Amino acid sequence: MNYETTITAEAQDDIPQDAAARQDPQSSSGLPKTMLIGGGGLLALLLAIGAYFVLATGEPVVAGDDNSRAPVVTVIAPGKTTVSGMIEAPGTISARRPMPVGVVGEGGRIVSVRVDAGDWVQSGQVIAVIDRSVQNQQAAAQAAQIEVARADASLAQANLDRALQLVERGFISKADVDRLTATRDAAAARVNVAQAQLAELRARTARLNVVAPASGYVLERNVEPGQTVSGGSPSLFMIARGGEMEMLASLSETQLAGLSNGVAASIVPTGSEKTFSGQVWQLSPIIDAQSRQGTARIALSYAPELRPGGFATAQINSGSIEATVLPESAVLADDEGSFVYVINDENEAVRTSVTTGIVTPDGIAITGGLAGTELVVLRAGGFLNPGEVVNPRREDGE
């Protein structure tokens, strides 16, 4: 037994000192610490990756269903209001009753022009004169023919009177008296013919005066002295009867259907800030097949600012309607038409198609699709998707 004990002790003594040092209890605990630090880092990395995927997929990170992370949108309940219908339409100014004035007779050389564009004329006023020297001579010759015919008629009457005195004495037969009576009647007829021919010549000569057919305002003067004109020449003057003007407003089929004769309108000529009052007096009975538009004719009184051919804008009163009025920011449009987003009881954005009407200073009138009690998204509707959950806030802060 003592021998075995001695051998064990000696074996123990033979171990080198550096090997004994590596077996120190404090030195042997370093490896578990390293493993703990590496495991903690790996765990933190896994948690970070998990949080990234949770946020990317939009899953809630906190418990509860309170829409706290839903986008906030401003909504309004528009209701209904009385909207005064107003149609704005472009158009041109023109004379309501333009009267072209040309040559009535055979024409000739213009010797004088008595009016200019922008003048007022009276009915029957001479506005241009055509040379009539030849016609005057013809009239004088015809007047002389009347005198000749009257002399022949007087001689025939005298012969008949003498024959009637002689027939009682039997010197002239009844047949001679009849012949002399016929001669007297023919001479009197020739007097009438000559007088009628003179009247015709004078009428033709009078037509060499170009006169105004009615009182009005001269719009155009297209003739100058020395110019030769005839019955086939273009009009020499253009006159607006009574100076009355009108605007020819271009309207769509729908707009025309909502108008009637007699409605009031306001006209603003292009380049002017002055407003003129008018009244629709005629609606076009036809629609242009190409433009799908018709014309509303708006009667206007004369004013120097209203120049035929100029452009103008008309605002026509089309009556009053009950409708929902929304700001332009609330009304969207795409290929399917106009629509708005309505927030339902579950705070979801619901696309709702609407029918738009006239544009007022307060917004766009909605004539169909809304009852007025809905919560309508006021702004940022273009960033929403149908069915998206939102956090609605009223415009007044409620």
Side-chain angles (χ1 to χ4, degrees):
M1 294 294 292
N2 291 332
Y3 176 78
E4 294 176 356
T5 304
T6 302
I7 294 305
T8 303
E10 291 178 354
Q12 182 74 21
D13 292 338
D14 293 335
I15 299 174
Q17 292 183 358
D18 57 348
R22 287 196 298 269
Q23 293 178 358
D24 185 71
Q26 295 180 354
S27 175
S28 63
S29 63
L31 181 60
K33 289 183 179 181
T34 304
M35 295 178 63
L36 289 175
I37 294 173
L42 179 61
L43 179 60
L45 178 60
L46 293 176
L47 289 176
I49 294 175
Y52 171 80
F53 282 105
V54 168
L55 294 177
T57 56
E59 296 295 333
V61 296
V62 294
D65 188 16
D66 56 356
N67 292 336
S68 61
R69 303 187 66 86
V72 177
V73 296
T74 304
V75 297
I76 57 171
K80 284 187 176 291
T81 185
T82 300
V83 179
S84 297
M86 192 68 66
I87 298 174
E88 185 170 319
T92 57
I93 303 297
S94 67
R96 182 176 178 181
R97 293 298 186 205
M99 298 182 298
V101 182
V103 178
V104 180
E106 61 187 17
R109 181 175 58 87
I110 297 292
V111 295
S112 68
V113 180
R114 300 183 180 181
V115 297
D116 206 343
D119 293 341
W120 288 89
V121 295
Q122 300 297 322
S123 178
Q125 177 181 339
V126 177
I127 56 180
V129 178
I130 300 175
D131 178 63
R132 64 196 63 200
S133 57
V134 175
Q135 287 80 0
N136 288 337
Q137 296 300 322
Q138 291 176 343
Q142 188 60 38
Q145 289 295 327
I146 293 176
E147 297 301 323
V148 172
R150 285 176 178 171
D152 292 341
S154 298
L155 178 59
Q157 183 64 48
N159 290 335
L160 177 59
D161 292 340
R162 286 191 294 269
L164 291 175
Q165 294 176 359
L166 296 175
V167 73
E168 296 176 355
R169 302 177 185 179
F171 293 106
I172 296 179
S173 64
K174 182 65 173 175
D176 293 335
V177 172
D178 293 340
R179 181 176 54 79
L180 292 174
T181 300
T183 302
R184 188 275 314 270
D185 293 342
R190 284 193 293 272
V191 172
N192 294 334
V193 169
Q195 290 176 338
Q197 290 175 343
L198 178 61
E200 177 186 1
L201 285 173
R202 287 176 175 173
R204 290 179 179 275
T205 302
R207 293 203 303 178
L208 295 176
N209 288 330
V210 181
V211 301
S215 300
Y217 183 69
V218 180
L219 301 176
E220 298 179 8
R221 165 180 162 168
N222 302 316
V223 65
E224 297 297 334
Q227 183 176 340
T228 301
V229 296
S230 64
S233 299
S235 61
L236 308 183
F237 301 90
M238 183 67 71
I239 298 176
R241 191 185 69 180
E244 297 176 341
M245 300 293 170
E246 70 175 358
M247 177 183 171
L248 305 177
S250 299
L251 302 175
S252 65
E253 297 178 75
T254 304
Q255 292 172 330
L256 281 175
L259 294 179
S260 60
N261 291 339
V263 299
S266 299
I267 309 301
V268 179
T270 300
S272 173
E273 297 181 355
K274 190 173 182 180
T275 301
F276 301 89
S277 298
Q279 190 177 61
V280 176
W281 72 275
Q282 186 184 79
L283 296 175
S284 176
I286 62 173
I287 299 295
D288 185 85
Q290 301 298 325
S291 64
R292 309 308 305 168
Q293 290 186 328
T295 302
R297 302 179 68 177
I298 304 172
L300 298 167
S301 300
Y302 169 78
E305 296 85 353
L306 298 176
R307 296 179 174 85
F311 288 100
T313 301
Q315 291 185 338
I316 308 172
N317 185 6
S318 60
S320 300
I321 59 174
E322 290 288 333
T324 298
V325 178
L326 291 175
E328 294 184 10
S329 60
V331 182
L332 307 174
D334 57 15
D335 294 340
E336 298 179 7
S338 300
F339 67 94
V340 298
Y341 277 110
V342 174
I343 306 304
N344 62 13
D345 296 337
E346 298 178 357
N347 289 341
E348 295 177 344
V350 179
R351 173 182 170 130
T352 303
S353 298
V354 296
T355 302
T356 59
I358 61 176
V359 179
T360 70
D362 298 326
I364 302 175
I366 306 300
T367 59
L370 292 178
T373 58
E374 301 90 342
L375 293 180
V376 180
V377 176
L378 182 61
R379 290 179 289 271
F383 298 96
L384 297 178
N385 295 315
E388 183 175 352
V389 177
V390 298
N391 193 355
R393 294 287 186 272
R394 287 183 178 267
E395 188 179 23
D396 53 10
E398 296 181 1

Coordinates of all heavy atoms in Angstrom, one line a residue, residues 22-77:
R22 N -2.3 26.2 -16.7 CA -3.5 26.2 -17.6 C -4.7 25.6 -17.0 O -5.8 25.8 -17.4 CB -3.1 25.5 -18.9 CG -2.2 26.3 -19.8 CD -2.2 25.7 -21.2 NE -1.7 24.3 -21.2 CZ -0.4 24.0 -21.4 NH1 0.5 24.9 -21.6 NH2 -0.1 22.7 -21.4
Q23 N -4.5 24.8 -15.9 CA -5.6 24.2 -15.3 C -6.1 25.0 -14.1 O -6.9 24.6 -13.3 CB -5.1 22.8 -14.8 CG -4.8 21.9 -15.9 CD -4.4 20.5 -15.4 OE1 -4.2 20.3 -14.1 NE2 -4.1 19.6 -16.3
D24 N -5.7 26.4 -14.1 CA -6.2 27.3 -13.0 C -7.7 27.5 -13.1 O -8.2 27.7 -14.2 CB -5.4 28.6 -13.1 CG -5.8 29.5 -11.9 OD1 -5.4 29.2 -10.8 OD2 -6.5 30.5 -12.2
P25 N -8.4 27.3 -12.0 CA -9.9 27.5 -12.1 C -10.3 28.8 -12.7 O -11.2 28.9 -13.5 CB -10.4 27.3 -10.7 CG -9.3 26.6 -10.0 CD -8.0 27.0 -10.7
Q26 N -9.7 30.0 -12.4 CA -10.1 31.3 -12.9 C -9.9 31.4 -14.4 O -10.7 31.9 -15.2 CB -9.3 32.4 -12.2 CG -9.7 32.4 -10.7 CD -8.9 33.5 -10.0 OE1 -8.1 34.2 -10.5 NE2 -9.3 33.7 -8.7
S27 N -8.8 30.8 -14.9 CA -8.5 30.8 -16.3 C -9.4 30.0 -17.1 O -9.8 30.3 -18.2 CB -7.0 30.4 -16.5 OG -6.7 30.3 -17.9
S28 N -10.0 28.9 -16.6 CA -10.9 28.1 -17.4 C -12.2 28.6 -17.6 O -13.0 28.2 -18.4 CB -10.9 26.7 -16.6 OG -11.5 26.9 -15.4
S29 N -12.7 29.7 -16.9 CA -14.0 30.3 -17.0 C -14.1 31.3 -18.2 O -15.1 31.8 -18.5 CB -14.4 31.0 -15.8 OG -13.5 32.1 -15.5
G30 N -13.0 31.6 -19.0 CA -13.1 32.6 -20.1 C -13.9 32.1 -21.3 O -14.5 32.8 -22.0
L31 N -13.9 30.8 -21.6 CA -14.6 30.3 -22.8 C -16.1 30.4 -22.6 O -16.8 30.9 -23.6 CB -14.2 28.8 -23.0 CG -14.9 28.1 -24.2 CD1 -14.5 28.9 -25.5 CD2 -14.4 26.7 -24.2
P32 N -16.8 30.1 -21.5 CA -18.2 30.4 -21.4 C -18.6 31.8 -21.6 O -19.6 32.2 -22.1 CB -18.5 29.8 -20.0 CG -17.5 28.8 -19.8 CD -16.2 29.4 -20.4
K33 N -17.8 32.8 -21.1 CA -18.1 34.2 -21.2 C -18.2 34.6 -22.7 O -19.0 35.4 -23.1 CB -17.1 35.0 -20.5 CG -17.2 34.9 -18.9 CD -16.2 35.9 -18.3 CE -16.3 35.8 -16.8 NZ -15.4 36.7 -16.1
T34 N -17.2 34.1 -23.5 CA -17.2 34.5 -24.9 C -18.4 33.9 -25.6 O -19.0 34.6 -26.5 CB -16.0 33.9 -25.6 OG1 -14.8 34.3 -24.9 CG2 -15.9 34.2 -27.0
M35 N -18.8 32.8 -25.2 CA -20.0 32.2 -25.8 C -21.3 33.0 -25.5 O -22.2 33.2 -26.3 CB -20.2 30.7 -25.4 CG -19.1 29.8 -25.9 SD -19.3 28.1 -25.3 CE -20.8 27.7 -26.1
L36 N -21.4 33.5 -24.3 CA -22.5 34.3 -23.8 C -22.6 35.6 -24.6 O -23.7 36.0 -25.0 CB -22.4 34.6 -22.3 CG -22.7 33.4 -21.4 CD1 -22.4 33.8 -19.9 CD2 -24.1 32.8 -21.6
I37 N -21.5 36.2 -24.8 CA -21.5 37.5 -25.6 C -21.9 37.3 -27.0 O -22.7 38.0 -27.6 CB -20.1 38.2 -25.5 CG1 -19.7 38.6 -24.1 CG2 -20.0 39.4 -26.4 CD1 -18.3 39.0 -23.9
G38 N -21.4 36.3 -27.6 CA -21.8 36.0 -29.0 C -23.2 35.6 -29.2 O -23.9 36.1 -30.1
G39 N -23.8 34.9 -28.2 CA -25.2 34.5 -28.2 C -26.1 35.8 -28.1 O -27.1 35.9 -28.7
G40 N -25.7 36.7 -27.2 CA -26.5 37.9 -27.0 C -26.5 38.8 -28.3 O -27.5 39.3 -28.6
G41 N -25.4 38.9 -29.0 CA -25.4 39.6 -30.2 C -26.2 39.0 -31.3 O -26.9 39.7 -32.0
L42 N -26.2 37.7 -31.4 CA -27.0 37.0 -32.3 C -28.5 37.2 -32.0 O -29.3 37.4 -32.9 CB -26.7 35.5 -32.3 CG -27.5 34.6 -33.3 CD1 -27.3 35.1 -34.8 CD2 -27.1 33.2 -33.2
L43 N -28.9 37.2 -30.7 CA -30.3 37.4 -30.4 C -30.7 38.8 -30.7 O -31.8 39.0 -31.2 CB -30.4 37.2 -28.9 CG -31.8 37.4 -28.3 CD1 -32.8 36.5 -29.0 CD2 -31.8 37.2 -26.8
A44 N -29.9 39.8 -30.5 CA -30.2 41.2 -30.8 C -30.4 41.3 -32.3 O -31.3 42.0 -32.8 CB -29.1 42.1 -30.3
L45 N -29.5 40.7 -33.1 CA -29.7 40.7 -34.6 C -31.0 40.1 -35.0 O -31.7 40.6 -35.9 CB -28.5 40.0 -35.2 CG -28.5 39.9 -36.8 CD1 -28.5 41.4 -37.4 CD2 -27.3 39.1 -37.3
L46 N -31.4 39.0 -34.4 CA -32.6 38.3 -34.8 C -33.8 39.2 -34.4 O -34.8 39.3 -35.2 CB -32.7 37.0 -34.1 CG -31.7 35.9 -34.6 CD1 -31.9 34.6 -33.7 CD2 -32.0 35.6 -36.0
L47 N -33.8 39.9 -33.3 CA -34.9 40.8 -32.9 C -35.0 42.0 -33.9 O -36.1 42.4 -34.2 CB -34.6 41.3 -31.5 CG -34.8 40.3 -30.4 CD1 -34.4 40.9 -29.0 CD2 -36.2 39.8 -30.3
A48 N -33.8 42.5 -34.3 CA -33.9 43.6 -35.3 C -34.5 43.2 -36.6 O -35.3 43.9 -37.2 CB -32.5 44.2 -35.5
I49 N -34.1 42.0 -37.1 CA -34.7 41.5 -38.3 C -36.2 41.3 -38.2 O -37.0 41.6 -39.1 CB -33.9 40.2 -38.8 CG1 -32.5 40.5 -39.1 CG2 -34.6 39.6 -40.0 CD1 -31.6 39.3 -39.4
G50 N -36.6 40.7 -37.1 CA -38.0 40.5 -36.9 C -38.8 41.8 -36.9 O -39.9 41.9 -37.4
A51 N -38.3 42.8 -36.2 CA -38.9 44.1 -36.2 C -39.1 44.8 -37.5 O -40.1 45.4 -37.9 CB -38.2 45.1 -35.2
Y52 N -38.0 44.6 -38.4 CA -38.0 45.1 -39.7 C -39.2 44.5 -40.5 O -40.0 45.2 -41.2 CB -36.7 44.9 -40.4 CG -36.7 45.2 -41.9 CD1 -36.6 46.5 -42.3 CD2 -36.9 44.2 -42.8 CE1 -36.7 46.8 -43.7 CE2 -36.9 44.5 -44.2 CZ -36.8 45.8 -44.6 OH -36.9 46.1 -45.9
F53 N -39.3 43.2 -40.5 CA -40.4 42.6 -41.3 C -41.8 42.9 -40.8 O -42.7 43.0 -41.5 CB -40.2 41.0 -41.3 CG -39.1 40.6 -42.3 CD1 -37.8 40.2 -41.8 CD2 -39.3 40.6 -43.6 CE1 -36.9 39.8 -42.7 CE2 -38.4 40.2 -44.5 CZ -37.1 39.8 -44.1
V54 N -41.9 43.1 -39.5 CA -43.2 43.4 -38.9 C -43.6 44.8 -39.4 O -44.7 45.0 -39.8 CB -43.1 43.4 -37.4 CG1 -44.4 44.1 -36.8 CG2 -43.0 42.0 -36.9
L55 N -42.7 45.8 -39.4 CA -43.0 47.1 -39.8 C -43.2 47.2 -41.3 O -44.1 47.9 -41.8 CB -41.9 48.1 -39.5 CG -41.7 48.3 -37.9 CD1 -40.5 49.3 -37.7 CD2 -42.9 48.9 -37.3
A56 N -42.5 46.4 -42.1 CA -42.6 46.4 -43.5 C -44.0 45.9 -44.0 O -44.5 46.3 -45.0 CB -41.5 45.6 -44.2
T57 N -44.5 44.9 -43.3 CA -45.8 44.3 -43.7 C -47.0 45.1 -43.1 O -48.1 44.7 -43.3 CB -45.9 42.9 -43.2 OG1 -45.6 42.8 -41.8 CG2 -44.8 42.0 -43.9
G58 N -46.7 46.2 -42.4 CA -47.8 47.0 -41.9 C -48.6 46.4 -40.7 O -49.7 46.8 -40.3
E59 N -48.0 45.3 -40.1 CA -48.7 44.7 -38.9 C -48.6 45.6 -37.7 O -47.6 46.3 -37.5 CB -48.1 43.3 -38.6 CG -48.2 42.3 -39.7 CD -49.7 42.0 -39.9 OE1 -50.5 42.1 -39.0 OE2 -50.1 41.6 -41.1
P60 N -49.6 45.7 -36.9 CA -49.6 46.5 -35.8 C -48.5 46.1 -34.8 O -48.3 44.9 -34.6 CB -51.0 46.4 -35.2 CG -51.5 45.1 -35.7 CD -50.9 45.0 -37.0
V61 N -47.8 47.0 -34.2 CA -46.8 46.7 -33.3 C -47.2 46.8 -31.8 O -46.5 46.5 -30.9 CB -45.5 47.6 -33.5 CG1 -45.0 47.3 -34.9 CG2 -45.9 49.0 -33.4
V62 N -48.4 47.3 -31.7 CA -48.9 47.4 -30.3 C -50.3 46.8 -30.3 O -51.0 46.7 -31.3 CB -49.0 48.9 -29.9 CG1 -47.7 49.6 -29.8 CG2 -49.9 49.7 -30.8
A63 N -50.7 46.4 -29.1 CA -52.0 45.7 -29.0 C -53.1 46.8 -29.1 O -52.9 47.9 -28.8 CB -52.1 45.0 -27.7
G64 N -54.3 46.3 -29.6 CA -55.5 47.2 -29.7 C -55.8 47.5 -31.1 O -55.0 47.3 -32.0
D65 N -57.0 48.0 -31.3 CA -57.6 48.4 -32.7 C -58.1 49.8 -32.6 O -59.3 50.0 -32.7 CB -58.6 47.3 -33.0 CG -59.1 47.5 -34.5 OD1 -58.3 48.2 -35.2 OD2 -60.1 47.0 -34.8
D66 N -57.2 50.8 -32.5 CA -57.7 52.2 -32.3 C -57.4 53.1 -33.5 O -57.6 54.3 -33.4 CB -57.1 52.8 -31.1 CG -55.5 52.7 -31.1 OD1 -55.0 52.1 -32.1 OD2 -54.9 53.2 -30.2
N67 N -57.0 52.6 -34.7 CA -56.7 53.4 -35.9 C -55.7 54.5 -35.6 O -55.7 55.5 -36.3 CB -57.9 54.0 -36.5 CG -58.9 52.9 -37.0 OD1 -58.4 51.8 -37.4 ND2 -60.2 53.2 -37.1
S68 N -54.9 54.3 -34.6 CA -53.9 55.4 -34.2 C -52.9 55.6 -35.3 O -52.4 56.7 -35.4 CB -53.2 55.1 -32.9 OG -52.5 53.9 -33.0
R69 N -52.6 54.6 -36.1 CA -51.6 54.8 -37.2 C -52.2 55.0 -38.5 O -51.5 55.1 -39.5 CB -50.7 53.6 -37.2 CG -50.0 53.3 -35.9 CD -49.0 52.2 -36.0 NE -47.9 52.6 -36.9 CZ -46.8 53.2 -36.5 NH1 -46.7 53.6 -35.3 NH2 -45.9 53.5 -37.4
A70 N -53.6 55.1 -38.6 CA -54.3 55.4 -39.9 C -54.1 56.8 -40.3 O -54.0 57.7 -39.5 CB -55.8 55.1 -39.8
P71 N -54.0 57.1 -41.6 CA -53.8 58.5 -42.1 C -55.0 59.4 -41.7 O -56.2 59.0 -41.7 CB -53.7 58.4 -43.6 CG -54.4 57.1 -43.9 CD -54.1 56.2 -42.8
V72 N -54.7 60.6 -41.3 CA -55.8 61.6 -40.9 C -56.2 62.3 -42.1 O -55.4 62.9 -42.9 CB -55.2 62.6 -39.8 CG1 -56.3 63.6 -39.4 CG2 -54.8 61.8 -38.6
V73 N -57.5 62.4 -42.3 CA -58.1 63.1 -43.5 C -59.1 64.1 -42.9 O -59.8 63.8 -41.9 CB -58.7 62.2 -44.5 CG1 -57.7 61.3 -45.1 CG2 -59.8 61.4 -43.9
T74 N -59.3 65.2 -43.6 CA -60.3 66.2 -43.3 C -61.6 65.9 -44.0 O -61.5 65.7 -45.2 CB -59.8 67.6 -43.6 OG1 -58.5 67.9 -43.0 CG2 -60.8 68.7 -43.2
V75 N -62.7 65.9 -43.3 CA -64.0 65.6 -43.9 C -65.0 66.7 -43.6 O -64.8 67.5 -42.7 CB -64.5 64.3 -43.4 CG1 -63.6 63.1 -43.8 CG2 -64.7 64.3 -41.9
I76 N -66.0 66.8 -44.5 CA -67.1 67.7 -44.3 C -68.4 67.0 -44.6 O -68.5 66.1 -45.4 CB -67.0 69.0 -45.1 CG1 -66.9 68.6 -46.6 CG2 -65.8 69.8 -44.7 CD1 -67.0 69.8 -47.6
A77 N -69.5 67.5 -43.9 CA -70.9 67.1 -44.3 C -71.5 68.3 -45.0 O -72.0 69.2 -44.3 CB -71.6 66.7 -43.0

